């Protein structure tokens, strides 16, 4: 497509909007920090991947050949983002009395199911951390002499050996006391393990031989190695949730500076990626997002309650990725209704031919849509242009269809294939079948026609008792809805 509005993206490293200029002409290479597969992802985690997906779709829409990598962390992420605690996978494996490999496979599959349900496009590569351990050892070996020191517990990166450590987080070498648990012998509070040795006398389920003894890689090392191997330093964009701006990404940057230092250690030239982008959090005030709370907010819980997963995708699109987004069931209800209206409009697209005004106004809408997505992915505004086109009575349906096809390639709401019936998901708790509902509703209609209100009311009460909300005259065309 013609690039009428240059793509501007917010770079967390400079805290500024920057015009996207690819490292390799016509290409966009993007790395996204993926999940640690020790548990189900919560819907907040999935916001990070909806954001990365929208970024990828916008880059494709703007004509770049996209190479996207998302990693799967199946080793090395400790219960604390710094160096404290246990390996999340090791701990979960012992809690569930399963092997780590089993745990990793199970939760990776669950994550991929959520990815598909949210219509997130497959990246070029899912990089699995354990496949890259030899490359991690090699990376660590190359930087060890100049940038690391060995302690009993592992090989540590000395953050004072690179320029401007913590620029991304706006912290300094010695900041972070309390934030990062002290390890005996660490030279600076922010120094971090790039190799964690297996303590003497212990055996880990996952451990590898290395020049520093048996052990496992540090989580930060994994992303530096996989992004560099698969996309080549420097690549274009590195993404993650805003929490990664504080520890994980500054540490990745420090390692990248150490390995890329051909032109000195300057951060801007050697951070590994030109742009670092971060989505803000999805928040939920009552704590249901915490994986330690029995029933936490997983996508499957939303589906079980009768919400189509794309209603959650729409909820994400309604907020700018750099704004915090508060989750509520009312908000999700509203997003589902909005999606339903959009799907109905696309289903109904009436052919009202006023050919002479068609091309100008459609071009205006398309251009505004492009302007919005080019403005640091302003999806809330872009969405309204899609709705304007879908609801317009002046445009020819063929032209509308073409415009919606283009816009949905970015929104990813499946507007051309989704039907209203698809959006009505049966809550898991429901015992009554749709056929039974329809039969009772038909009987109720007959009773009403015969002015037999006693029977009609009794049938309605029967439906209510089965959890069915009867919606006479619903403008969205649903006669009934199952409550969760
Ligand atoms: P994790 O599996 O914990 O490494 O998290 C996966 C991704 O989700 C990372 O990019 C996190 O920064 C991101 N993330 C974690 N919690 C939230 C949240 N509440 N809202 C949005 N993104 C989140
Ligand atoms: Zn990462």
């Amino acid at each position: 497509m013609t690039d009428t509005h240059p793509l501007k993206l917010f770079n967390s490293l400079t805290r500024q909007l920057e015009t996207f200029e690819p490292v390799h002409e016509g290409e966009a290479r993007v790395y996204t920090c993926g999940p640690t597969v020790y548990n189900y992802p919560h819907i907040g985690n999935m916001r990070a991947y909806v954001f990365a997906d929208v970024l990828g779709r916008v880059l494709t829409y703007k004509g770049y050949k996209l190479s996207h990598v998302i990693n799967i962390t199946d080793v090395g992420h400790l219960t604390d983002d710094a160096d404290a605690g246990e390996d999340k996978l090791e701990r979960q494996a012992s809690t569930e009395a399963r092997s780590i490999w089993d745990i990793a496979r199970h939760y990776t599959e669950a994550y991929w199911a959520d990815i598909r349900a949210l219509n997130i496009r497959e990246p070029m590569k899912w990089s699995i951390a354990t496949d890259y351990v030899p490359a991690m050892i090699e990376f660590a070996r190359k930087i060890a002499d100049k940038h690391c020191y060995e302690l009993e517990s592992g090989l540590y990166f000395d953050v004072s050996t690179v320029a401007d450590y913590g620029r991304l987080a706006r912290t300094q070498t010695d900041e972070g006391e309390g934030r990062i648990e002290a390890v005996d012998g660490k030279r600076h509070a922010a120094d971090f393990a790039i190799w964690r040795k297996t303590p003497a006398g212990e055996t880990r389920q996952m451990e590898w031989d290395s020049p520093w003894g048996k052990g496992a890689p540090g989580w930060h090392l994994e992303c530096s190695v996989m992004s560099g191997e698969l996309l080549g330093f420097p690549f274009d964009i590195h993404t993650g949730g805003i929490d990664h701006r504080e520890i994980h990404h500054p540490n990745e940057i420090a390692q990248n500076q150490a390995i890329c230092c051909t032109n000195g250690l300057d951060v801007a030239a050697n951070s590994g990626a030109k742009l670092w982008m971060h989505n803000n959090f999805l928040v939920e005030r009552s704590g249901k997002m915490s994986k330690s709370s029995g029933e936490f907010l997983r996508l499957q819980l939303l589906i079980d309650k009768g919400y189509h997963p794309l209603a959650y995708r729409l909820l994400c699109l309604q907020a700018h990725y750099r704004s915090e987004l508060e989750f509520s069931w009312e908000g999700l209800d509203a997003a589902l209704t909005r999606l339903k209206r959009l799907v109905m409009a696309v289903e109904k697209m009436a052919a009202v031919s006023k050919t002479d005004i068609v091309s100008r106004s459609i071009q205006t809408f398309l251009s505004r849509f492009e302007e919005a997505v080019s403005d640091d992915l302003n999806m809330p505004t872009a969405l309204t242009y899609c709705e304007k086109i879908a609801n317009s009575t002046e445009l020819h349906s063929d032209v509308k269809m073409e415009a919606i096809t283009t816009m949905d390639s970015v929104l990813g709401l499946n507007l051309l294939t989704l039907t209203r019936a698809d959006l009505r998901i049966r809550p898991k708790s429901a015992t009554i079948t749709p056929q039974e509902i329809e039969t009772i509703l038909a009987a109720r209609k007959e009773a009403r026609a015969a002015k037999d209100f006693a029977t009609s009311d009794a049938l309605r009460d029967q439906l209510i008792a089965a959890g069915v909300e009867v919606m006479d005259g619903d403008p969205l065309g649903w006669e009934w809805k199952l409550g969760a």
Side-chain angles (χ1 to χ4, degrees), residues 91 102 107 169 295 388:
R91 194 182 58 171
D102 235 25
Y107 292 111
E295 184 194 55
K388 282 194 172 117

mmCIF file of all heavy atoms in Angstrom, residues 91 102 107 169 295 388:
data_model
loop_
_atom_site.group_PDB
_atom_site.id
_atom_site.type_symbol
_atom_site.label_atom_id
_atom_site.label_comp_id
_atom_site.label_asym_id
_atom_site.label_seq_id
_atom_site.Cartn_x
_atom_site.Cartn_y
_atom_site.Cartn_z
ATOM 1 N N ARG A 91 9.700 -25.699 40.180
ATOM 2 C CA ARG A 91 8.777 -25.653 41.311
ATOM 3 C C ARG A 91 7.415 -26.243 40.937
ATOM 4 O O ARG A 91 6.843 -27.038 41.673
ATOM 5 C CB ARG A 91 8.624 -24.218 41.808
ATOM 6 C CG ARG A 91 7.965 -24.178 43.172
ATOM 7 C CD ARG A 91 7.749 -22.803 43.677
ATOM 8 N NE ARG A 91 6.917 -22.027 42.746
ATOM 9 C CZ ARG A 91 6.426 -20.838 43.033
ATOM 10 N NH1 ARG A 91 6.723 -20.257 44.180
ATOM 11 N NH2 ARG A 91 5.685 -20.191 42.166
ATOM 12 N N ASP A 102 6.984 -32.426 30.738
ATOM 13 C CA ASP A 102 5.524 -32.588 30.692
ATOM 14 C C ASP A 102 4.818 -31.267 30.970
ATOM 15 O O ASP A 102 3.874 -30.893 30.284
ATOM 16 C CB ASP A 102 5.161 -33.548 31.831
ATOM 17 C CG ASP A 102 4.377 -34.712 31.346
ATOM 18 O OD1 ASP A 102 4.512 -35.028 30.155
ATOM 19 O OD2 ASP A 102 3.625 -35.291 32.165
ATOM 20 N N TYR A 107 1.605 -26.652 29.215
ATOM 21 C CA TYR A 107 1.275 -25.225 29.266
ATOM 22 C C TYR A 107 1.609 -24.497 27.963
ATOM 23 O O TYR A 107 1.015 -23.458 27.671
ATOM 24 C CB TYR A 107 1.913 -24.563 30.496
ATOM 25 C CG TYR A 107 1.279 -25.080 31.780
ATOM 26 C CD1 TYR A 107 1.992 -25.889 32.669
ATOM 27 C CD2 TYR A 107 -0.055 -24.799 32.065
ATOM 28 C CE1 TYR A 107 1.389 -26.381 33.823
ATOM 29 C CE2 TYR A 107 -0.667 -25.288 33.210
ATOM 30 C CZ TYR A 107 0.066 -26.075 34.087
ATOM 31 O OH TYR A 107 -0.547 -26.562 35.219
ATOM 32 N N ALA A 169 15.259 1.487 31.852
ATOM 33 C CA ALA A 169 14.416 1.581 33.045
ATOM 34 C C ALA A 169 14.613 2.906 33.751
ATOM 35 O O ALA A 169 13.878 3.240 34.673
ATOM 36 C CB ALA A 169 14.751 0.447 34.000
ATOM 37 N N GLU A 295 -9.031 -19.680 41.142
ATOM 38 C CA GLU A 295 -9.591 -19.561 39.799
ATOM 39 C C GLU A 295 -9.169 -18.211 39.247
ATOM 40 O O GLU A 295 -9.772 -17.189 39.562
ATOM 41 C CB GLU A 295 -11.118 -19.628 39.883
ATOM 42 C CG GLU A 295 -11.805 -19.606 38.539
ATOM 43 C CD GLU A 295 -13.309 -19.321 38.667
ATOM 44 O OE1 GLU A 295 -13.686 -18.307 39.268
ATOM 45 O OE2 GLU A 295 -14.080 -20.124 38.136
ATOM 46 N N LYS A 388 -17.614 3.018 11.138
ATOM 47 C CA LYS A 388 -18.270 4.018 10.278
ATOM 48 C C LYS A 388 -18.534 3.412 8.906
ATOM 49 O O LYS A 388 -19.596 3.604 8.336
ATOM 50 C CB LYS A 388 -17.390 5.260 10.145
ATOM 51 C CG LYS A 388 -17.473 6.129 11.378
ATOM 52 C CD LYS A 388 -16.897 7.522 11.134
ATOM 53 C CE LYS A 388 -17.181 8.393 12.336
ATOM 54 N NZ LYS A 388 -15.978 8.859 13.019
#
